Amino acid sequence: MASCREQAQADYINERLQYEIARDRVAGEYMDRWLHERDGLEEFFVKNLENVQGDERDVIIVSMVYGPPSEGAKVGQNFGPIAGPTGRRSLNVLFTRAKEQIRTFTSMTPLDIAAEETTNAGAWMLNAGWNTVRAQHWKQGPALMAP
């Protein structure tokens, strides 16, 4: 399963994924296997953050491409739905859906997120999640967080 911040990003990732699968026979066979194995219970899918509830996978891929408006500038602290009243809960659900591993693809680091638990619980949870994934990187060796 892959999860991203908003529906437009999920749609784009899905579109690119389908394009690549159509071009690559091995990738297509791999995806077909997961579609049919266990009656489709392990099918790969891409969802936005709000639609992850109840889905659990061995590996969760999180896409969070959000960065500064220009090189050297600070990352804006408007994280869309994450900063809203249910952002913390949505992120908690997301970060606990992985049975074995979370793989992240992001344009920022935990240092780019300036949030306190009492002022922006969603952004604080995002920071905590990124720090947890980064700590796993140091324990396991392979790059679990990009960049």
Side-chain angles (χ1 to χ4, degrees), residues 9 18 26 34 45 64 69 78 88 94 96 135 145 147:
Q9 189 179 24
Q18 296 308 315
V26 174
W34 285 108
F45 53 82
M64 182 68 169
N78 177 11
R88 180 179 180 157
L94 173 64
T96 59
M145 187 165 186

Side-chain angles (χ1 to χ4, degrees), residues 32-50:
D32 282 345
R33 186 184 106 212
W34 285 108
L35 177 64
H36 296 98
E37 195 163 298
R38 294 193 200 174
D39 297 321
L41 292 176
E42 300 293 326
E43 180 183 3
F44 180 85
F45 53 82
V46 179
K47 290 187 175 182
N48 66 319
L49 181 64
E50 290 82 17

Side-chain angles (χ1 to χ4, degrees), residues 98-120:
K99 293 187 233 176
E100 296 183 25
Q101 188 179 98
I102 297 174
R103 308 268 309 173
T104 60
F105 296 87
T106 182
S107 57
M108 61 184 177
T109 71
L111 296 174
D112 292 322
I113 305 168
E116 298 295 324
E117 185 175 14
T118 56
T119 58
N120 187 334

Side-chain angles (χ1 to χ4, degrees), residues 11-81:
D11 292 343
Y12 178 77
I13 292 170
N14 250 328
E15 182 181 301
R16 294 298 309 165
L17 181 64
Q18 296 308 315
Y19 175 77
E20 294 299 331
I21 290 169
R23 293 180 54 201
D24 186 325
R25 181 186 56 79
V26 174
E29 290 171 359
Y30 181 80
M31 294 300 276
D32 282 345
R33 186 184 106 212
W34 285 108
L35 177 64
H36 296 98
E37 195 163 298
R38 294 193 200 174
D39 297 321
L41 292 176
E42 300 293 326
E43 180 183 3
F44 180 85
F45 53 82
V46 179
K47 290 187 175 182
N48 66 319
L49 181 64
E50 290 82 17
N51 294 322
V52 174
Q53 186 77 31
D55 294 310
E56 189 175 68
R57 293 291 188 267
D58 290 342
V59 178
I60 303 288
I61 301 168
V62 181
S63 172
M64 182 68 169
V65 181
Y66 188 85
S70 61
E71 193 170 331
K74 289 186 177 188
V75 173
Q77 300 299 301
N78 177 11
F79 297 106

